[in-house]
Amino acid sequence: MAQEIYISGIGIAPEVIGAVVTRAVEEVEGIASVGVKDLATNLVSMFQTRSAPVAPAVEAEVVNDQLALTVHVVVFFGYPFKKLAEAVRAAVAHVIDAQVGVEVARVDVCIDGLVFPKE
């Protein structure tokens, strides 16, 4: 388990923040997944003796007693990236305020993959 994040007098495991954010972002229309869930990559990493560490889907840090978050997503083709990022930011800010009770300094959205419809 990674080191806890201390903010507003409480310590929160990064995995807890990641779970809260992931759940909210998965509800945004146009989001295929939070983090990269590529079957081929997962299979290759299972057979490697030393696999490279997988970056977390949600990264969090404290900036001036506020949370600064980075969310990695895979999106469906056909949804404008800017509008998706805005929807993700709004969902994250809302869930962090409601569940954790702290302000969000920023939400950086990284689009790490694109899913095309099957034809």
Side-chain angles (χ1 to χ4, degrees):
M1 180 181 284
Q3 190 172 3
E4 288 186 334
I5 295 170
Y6 289 93
I7 187 166
S8 296
I10 58 174
I12 307 168
E15 296 84 3
V16 172
I17 292 173
V20 168
V21 170
T22 296
R23 179 118 186 194
V25 173
E26 286 175 338
E27 298 295 318
V28 174
E29 185 179 351
I31 298 296
S33 69
V34 179
V36 178
K37 296 181 174 112
D38 179 59
L39 181 60
T41 302
N42 290 340
L43 287 174
V44 169
S45 68
M46 284 176 39
F47 293 109
Q48 289 179 338
T49 55
R50 279 189 280 164
S51 60
V54 176
V58 178
E59 301 166 31
E61 65 177 316
V62 178
V63 176
N64 298 327
D65 210 32
Q66 297 178 327
L67 277 178
L69 300 145
T70 301
V71 182
H72 296 268
V73 295
V74 176
V75 301
F76 289 114
F77 178 78
Y79 289 86
F81 293 166
K82 187 175 179 181
K83 287 183 181 181
L84 272 175
E86 290 169 0
V88 167
R89 287 186 188 103
V92 170
H94 175 74
V95 77
I96 290 296
D97 181 48
Q99 187 69 40
V100 182
V102 298
E103 289 186 44
V104 174
R106 73 175 190 276
V107 178
D108 296 327
V109 180
C110 299
I111 298 175
D112 294 339
L114 186 62
V115 175
F116 290 95
K118 294 182 181 187
E119 297 183 85

